[in-house]
Amino acid sequence: MSEVIRPVVRALDVLRAMNHQPQSTLLSLHHATGLPKSTLHRLLATLRSEGYVRIDVVRGRYTLTAKVRELSEGYGEQQGVVDIAAPVLRHITRSTGLPLAIGVLDQGRIVVRYSSMPYSPIGSEHSTIGHAHDLLRSGMGQAFLAWCSETQRARLMQRLLLDISDTDGGERPKMQSVEMQVREAIAATRARGYGFWPAEGRGASATLALPVLMDGDVVAVVSLTTFGALLVQDGLQECLAVLQRCRDDVMHLLAPHLGAEVNASGSVTRNVEP
């Protein structure tokens, strides 16, 4: 049995209609939504009382207020990238059987925000959504560190060193060791061309990862996780090709949503008005 609350749906219809024009009247909203004017009047009165709509009483025109922005504050650019990527990941997994995931930077780690593993016949677990990956000890983390901007990397290094300072009393040899590990991981990953975390033990899974770049910064990381035994010779190249196709498809879908284009280096670059 449907649990749809019709008044809520109608209120959302009104907000959507008002979002498409700078000013609205009862007549224009009636044409846009198909709702009776009496219903619209009650909905607008409610939205006004909650601060989302204002009225010019003399002209009988309604406009949205800045408060409507609060409705989207929980939806950031990263989530927009994930929403665009999810159908791509599902489609490729259904056609290849290989499980894919997309993660974003969150509190100094790469957190998986969507996984197509439920659609894969060889998925190692039901889903990896919510899994958090270390920047140094994971394929996704390596891909992020290797291709993020210098500004992003400097901030992440500060965080890593602060964590060491808190746990080890700020011992300089330990901090220097971590800095060297980061430099070595970045060099190895860039030389390889992708992030890689090998299988740890017989029958364990391994991960390949590539960055999603926008304006020179990494906004997300896509990954492919499968049994380590499959990631050798031709199997590695086949899986890498699937992952590259996934990343490229996401980038090309992402570009028009941002008024941008994919440049020769494979990064999404926003178009800047002259």
Side-chain angles (χ1 to χ4, degrees):
M1 183 176 180
S2 175
E3 297 182 357
V4 173
I5 302 174
R6 300 309 304 174
V8 175
V9 174
R10 290 166 182 159
L12 292 173
D13 286 341
V14 171
L15 289 174
R16 277 192 290 266
M18 294 185 71
N19 193 50
H20 289 295
Q21 48 194 355
Q23 294 182 327
S24 304
T25 64
L26 278 177
L27 182 60
S28 69
L29 290 172
H30 169 66
H31 289 316
T33 65
L35 296 172
K37 291 181 183 179
S38 58
T39 300
L40 287 168
H41 182 77
R42 291 193 298 272
L43 290 171
L44 289 165
T46 301
L47 291 169
R48 284 174 59 201
S49 71
E50 295 300 312
Y52 295 105
V53 169
R54 68 168 61 92
I55 182 174
D56 181 336
V57 178
V58 175
R59 302 174 63 198
R61 296 185 181 276
Y62 297 86
T63 56
L64 297 174
T65 70
K67 190 176 181 180
V68 295
R69 293 176 181 171
E70 296 177 5
L71 301 175
S72 63
E73 284 182 352
Y75 188 87
E77 188 171 76
Q78 288 182 334
Q79 187 57 46
V81 174
V82 173
D83 287 348
I84 289 170
V88 175
L89 271 60
R90 285 196 301 272
H91 173 74
I92 293 178
T93 295
R94 282 170 169 155
S95 63
T96 66
L98 295 168
L100 300 160
I102 183 166
V104 299
L105 183 68
D106 187 354
Q107 300 296 312
R109 298 181 296 175
I110 306 300
V111 179
V112 176
R113 294 301 186 206
Y114 182 79
S115 168
S116 64
M117 196 165 281
Y119 302 92
S120 170
I122 59 171
S124 57
E125 51 189 305
H126 179 66
S127 177
T128 58
I129 294 176
H131 285 199
H133 298 280
D134 185 272
L135 288 173
L136 289 176
R137 294 180 291 276
S138 73
M140 296 184 93
Q142 290 174 5
F144 191 99
L145 273 179
W147 280 281
C148 68
S149 67
E150 289 297 332
T151 301
Q152 283 179 313
R153 191 176 298 119
R155 289 173 180 166
L156 290 171
M157 278 300 302
Q158 287 179 340
R159 186 185 183 96
L160 286 169
L161 296 178
L162 280 173
D163 289 344
I164 294 168
S165 179
D166 290 341
T167 56
D168 296 327
E171 296 180 11
R172 184 151 186 79
K174 178 70 173 179
M175 297 170 78
Q176 290 176 329
S177 173
V178 169
E179 289 185 87
M180 182 171 292
Q181 287 180 51
V182 172
R183 287 196 295 270
E184 290 175 350
I186 290 170
T189 303
R190 291 185 72 91
R192 188 190 307 118
Y194 53 91
F196 177 66
W197 194 252
E200 298 177 329
R202 184 180 178 85
S205 59
T207 298
L208 306 173
L210 289 171
V212 176
L213 298 162
M214 183 169 65
D215 292 337
D217 285 343
V218 179
V219 294
V221 177
V222 292
S223 68
L224 186 157
T225 298
T226 188
F227 298 111
L230 297 180
L231 296 180
V232 294
Q233 298 179 353
D234 292 345
L236 171 62
Q237 295 306 313
E238 179 184 349
C239 289
L240 186 57
V242 169
L243 184 61
Q244 288 172 330
R245 170 190 161 197
C246 175
R247 193 269 306 273
D248 291 348
D249 286 353
V250 169
M251 300 278 273
H252 280 91
L253 283 176
L254 180 61
H257 283 266
L258 301 172
E261 59 185 17
V262 180
N263 61 30
S265 65
S267 174
V268 174
T269 304
R270 297 178 202 265
N271 295 322
V272 179
E273 293 295 332

